[in-house]
Amino acid sequence: MDNKTEQTKKDNVLKFNSGRKYAAVIYALIALLFISFFIYQIYKINHKPFKTEVTLEKTVYTSAVTDAFIIRDEYPIPASVSGTLVPLVEDGKRVASGDNVAVVFSSDDAAKNYNEIKELEKNIEYYSSLQNKVGVQTADITPLDERIYSACEDYIRTVNTGRAESYASCEATLREYINSRQLSTGTVIDPSVKLEELNTRLEQLKAQNMGYNTITAPHPGYYISVNDGYENRVNYAGLSELDTSQIMDIVSNQGEKSDVSGYMGKLVDGFKWYILCVIDYNDAVKLREGSTVEVSFTMTSAKPLEATVYKICDTVDSKAAVILSSNLMNTEYARLRSEQVRITFDRHTGYQVNNSAVREVDSQKGVYVKSGNIIQFKKINIDYSDNEISICTLPKDAKASEYIALYDEVITEGTDLYDGKVIS
């Protein structure tokens, strides 16, 4: 009996341990199912069966950067005197025959004193006008504040563009607006002390001997105070006869400068001036004579301008010379000669679409757009395309709702896409 009892106990222990093992396995499987379900839910929440990209507006430019040489109808002004030249008019300003365009001093000190006199006279005029405003007040200073803010923005823009010749003008404008505001709010300003100081200095300078000779314009034209020696590098009247090889030589090798010691500035007769440059044949075919392009002078502060394509020369070694013309003239354009330019042939503005998103359905190009939980096919009209993106515009008289729009969520990657599909 004892042996049977002992064996029974052992069997019961084995069954119990075996049951615990089975239970542990079952619990482990249940736990694994719960963990798997949890991981699946996280994956389902975060996983997207496709990638999207929001449609934004973008402008794409097609352009070429190249070296250029500027040609004008220039006539150096001969002078029998020598010394330090001080211009009386800005470069690029139109003058009449006989107008005084510059004065020549025998020394740098005399020229410096002359310039100081001119600056003193301007300051005296300013402080005299300021004296007349003393005691004038206003209740509404908002317009004055707006003028000050605007003048500050102009000054910052001028500094950023490096247009040093405009610093003084911007500074004077800002100073005038600040002083006007101070006077309008009752601030006491007494210009009399400053005026006395300026007038005293002016009398001291005028008492000194500053003999000078005057340079006059021999005929009408745009005045430029500097001679660079390239005035006769190219025959202005024979521009139309130049070919690509000749222009290549002009742009890359300007040649020796001529002697300018006997001249004091120059006049530009013709209204038009020309930009000679050489570009790739593939860029040249985008142009046509008589059309306009935007030209930027990348290494200067001169503003971009619209130039006319005057001539497109024959191709040489996959290069073609182009002559552009303009009739705009100011101080910055008047000083251009050998420059780096950026020629912008055209610009395309529209909605940017990644090329991977473009599909073709029933011979119509378009994209799939995620609208809520619905996929919608929208048409596109490609105005420009490269290896990565397309710029799309709305065709004339087209139904806007059928075409891609700003801020659409375009599907760039995905499978099993079709119009009207519901996203679960």
Side-chain angles (χ1 to χ4, degrees):
M1 293 292 291
D2 291 338
N3 290 335
K4 286 185 177 181
T5 302
E6 188 66 27
Q7 183 64 39
T8 301
K9 287 181 179 180
K10 288 181 179 181
D11 291 341
N12 289 336
V13 169
L14 289 173
K15 289 179 180 179
F16 177 76
N17 289 335
S18 178
R20 289 181 63 185
K21 289 180 180 180
Y22 287 129
V25 171
I26 292 172
Y27 291 147
L29 289 173
I30 293 172
L32 183 61
L33 286 173
F34 273 112
I35 292 172
S36 300
F37 179 76
F38 180 71
I39 293 174
Y40 172 74
Q41 292 300 320
I42 294 175
Y43 171 78
K44 187 176 180 181
I45 291 171
N46 292 279
H47 174 68
K48 294 182 178 179
F50 42 74
K51 292 184 179 180
T52 61
E53 188 176 88
V54 175
T55 302
L56 298 175
E57 189 174 70
K58 183 175 181 178
T59 299
V60 174
Y61 302 88
T62 55
S63 62
V65 177
T66 185
D67 293 329
F69 192 78
I70 312 302
I71 301 298
R72 310 178 191 86
D73 189 14
E74 299 169 321
Y75 291 86
I77 302 174
S80 57
V81 297
S82 61
T84 303
L85 182 140
V86 176
L88 298 178
V89 297
E90 292 182 356
D91 285 1
K93 184 177 181 181
R94 185 81 178 171
V95 296
S97 178
D99 282 356
N100 295 334
V101 294
V103 288
V104 181
F105 293 89
S106 58
S107 69
D108 290 342
D109 288 340
K112 182 179 178 181
N113 289 342
Y114 179 83
N115 284 330
E116 188 177 349
I117 286 174
K118 293 300 180 184
E119 189 65 26
L120 285 168
E121 289 175 342
K122 286 199 301 183
N123 284 330
I124 289 171
E125 182 181 358
Y126 169 73
Y127 282 103
S128 296
S129 65
L130 188 63
Q131 194 172 39
N132 296 330
K133 298 177 182 178
V134 173
V136 179
Q137 298 186 29
T138 180
D140 185 9
I141 62 171
T142 301
L144 297 175
D145 287 338
E146 291 175 351
R147 290 180 182 178
I148 292 173
Y149 297 146
S150 178
C152 285
E153 291 174 354
D154 289 342
Y155 190 77
I156 293 171
R157 278 195 294 267
T158 301
V159 171
N160 289 337
T161 57
R163 297 163 58 193
E165 68 279 358
S166 302
Y167 291 173
S169 175
C170 290
E171 182 181 352
T173 301
L174 178 58
R175 181 182 61 178
E176 180 180 351
Y177 290 158
I178 292 174
N179 285 337
S180 296
R181 189 189 188 283
Q182 289 178 311
L183 289 170
S184 299
T185 55
T187 302
V188 178
I189 298 177
D190 185 7
S192 59
V193 176
K194 185 66 176 178
L195 278 169
E196 184 179 352
E197 178 187 326
L198 293 172
N199 281 310
T200 300
R201 178 58 180 164
L202 181 63
E203 291 173 4
Q204 292 173 349
L205 290 175
K206 285 187 172 181
Q208 299 179 23
N209 182 17
M210 292 187 298
Y212 58 82
N213 294 287
T214 303
I215 304 297
T216 58
H219 51 77
Y222 295 104
Y223 174 70
I224 300 176
S225 62
V226 179
N227 299 87
D228 59 13
Y230 291 126
E231 284 75 16
N232 298 314
R233 175 70 175 86
V234 179
N235 179 16
Y236 180 86
L239 275 175
S240 61
E241 305 301 321
L242 294 176
D243 58 27
T244 293
S245 297
Q246 291 171 318
I247 293 177
M248 281 181 174
D249 180 63
I250 293 168
V251 173
S252 61
N253 177 30
Q254 287 120 39
E256 293 184 4
K257 295 183 179 181
S258 59
D259 183 16
V260 297
S261 59
Y263 301 100
M264 287 291 178
K266 58 192 172 188
L267 291 173
V268 178
D269 273 9
F271 284 98
K272 286 187 178 181
W273 51 280
Y274 297 87
I275 304 168
L276 276 58
C277 56
V278 180
I279 60 177
D280 290 337
Y281 167 78
N282 291 334
D283 290 325
V285 296
K286 300 173 186 176
L287 304 175
R288 69 178 188 280
E289 293 182 2
S291 64
T292 58
V293 293
E294 182 181 271
V295 180
S296 303
F297 303 93
T298 59
M299 306 302 290
T300 75
S301 59
K303 294 181 179 179
L305 56 78
E306 292 290 326
T308 302
V309 180
Y310 174 73
K311 181 182 179 182
I312 303 172
C313 303
D314 293 338
T315 304
V316 174
D317 297 331
S318 300
K319 300 285 186 179
V322 176
I323 303 177
L324 309 174
S325 68
S326 175
N327 58 6
L328 297 178
M329 182 61 71
N330 59 26
T331 300
E332 294 170 327
Y333 299 146
R335 295 174 181 173
L336 299 173
R337 179 65 80 188
S338 182
E339 307 295 340
Q340 184 184 81
V341 298
R342 179 186 296 277
I343 304 171
T344 300
F345 308 111
D346 50 24
R347 57 172 60 85
H348 306 271
T349 299
Y351 301 131
Q352 177 180 312
V353 172
N354 194 305
N355 287 343
S356 63
V358 178
R359 307 288 200 280
E360 189 166 329
V361 177
D362 296 333
S363 301
Q364 172 64 55
K365 286 189 176 181
V367 294
Y368 286 108
V369 174
K370 180 178 175 291
S371 180
N373 65 337
I374 303 294
I375 292 179
Q376 180 183 2
F377 180 79
K378 284 194 173 184
K379 301 176 184 178
I380 58 172
N381 176 54
I382 298 177
D383 185 55
Y384 165 87
S385 184
D386 58 25
N387 293 332
E388 296 181 0
I389 66 166
S390 294
I391 301 298
C392 305
T393 58
L394 183 67
K396 187 178 180 181
D397 300 327
K399 192 175 181 180
S401 60
E402 295 180 354
Y403 284 81
I404 191 173
L406 188 65
Y407 305 130
D408 274 348
E409 196 172 352
V410 176
I411 298 174
T412 57
E413 292 183 21
T415 58
D416 192 27
L417 303 175
Y418 55 88
D419 190 37
K421 179 179 179 178
V422 179
I423 305 171
S424 58

